[in-house]
Amino acid sequence: MIGEAGGFVVFENIAFGIRALGIDLRTKINNGYDTTELIIFRYAPPIENDTLEYIRRVVDTTGIPQNRELSADPETLAKLCRGIINVELGPNYSHYITDNDISEGIGLMGGGSLVGPVGFSLAAVLLLVAVGLFATMPPYKRAKLLNV
């Protein structure tokens, strides 16, 4: 963490933002939100989102059935991170977060430690990932995204 912006934590690079997302997902899985459906209904409730479409898109990306019990192993966490990032950032931006970025972030989680942004909402973590992504982009990519 290098600071705060608008009440959100700012990470030094995208890997630490992904680490936060991975820790949040691991914590939820270990506390009974252990299916894709339960995780997404928790963070993208129907009152605010098209939750069923969100779930479908994550399932399409991960290949993990929505009601299959999840384990918090690195491979599963990486798949969930990719699925969530694809939905939240959309096709115009999600490709800026590479599988290597996700692997690095999951790798930074360490063993079984649950230290990290426990209690952060998934939306907050994704915003942090987006802010971290933008902050670490070369200036020409930032300008292109901002159409300047």
Side-chain angles (χ1 to χ4, degrees):
M1 180 178 106
I2 61 170
E4 190 176 317
F8 294 100
V9 176
V10 177
F11 296 102
E12 95 179 56
N13 62 43
I14 194 65
F16 283 104
I18 302 240
R19 175 186 176 270
L21 176 57
I23 288 171
D24 191 52
L25 289 168
R26 179 176 63 192
T27 300
K28 297 308 179 216
I29 291 168
N30 289 338
N31 285 298
Y33 293 92
D34 58 357
T35 67
T36 302
E37 183 176 63
L38 288 173
I39 290 169
I40 302 305
F41 263 102
R42 169 118 177 158
Y43 292 116
I47 195 164
E48 300 172 354
N49 301 276
D50 184 348
T51 307
L52 296 178
E53 177 63 12
Y54 195 123
I55 292 167
R56 185 195 65 74
R57 291 176 62 196
V58 171
V59 166
D60 285 351
T61 299
T62 64
I64 302 170
Q66 69 186 50
N67 290 312
R68 178 180 290 163
E69 187 175 330
L70 302 170
S71 64
D73 63 90
E75 182 181 344
T76 299
L77 293 173
K79 286 180 180 181
L80 289 171
C81 284
R82 170 52 68 201
I84 291 167
I85 288 166
N86 286 358
V87 173
E88 291 292 333
L89 298 182
N92 292 330
Y93 301 103
S94 63
H95 67 278
Y96 287 110
I97 300 178
T98 67
D99 290 341
N100 285 339
D101 292 329
I102 293 172
S103 293
E104 183 181 356
I106 298 299
L108 289 171
M109 291 172 56
S113 172
L114 292 179
V115 298
V118 176
F120 277 15
S121 72
L122 184 58
V125 170
L126 288 168
L127 179 59
L128 300 174
V129 168
V131 167
L133 171 65
F134 188 78
T136 60
M137 279 183 184
Y140 74 92
K141 282 189 180 180
R142 281 187 251 161
K144 184 176 178 182
L145 286 174
L146 296 173
N147 294 318
V148 243

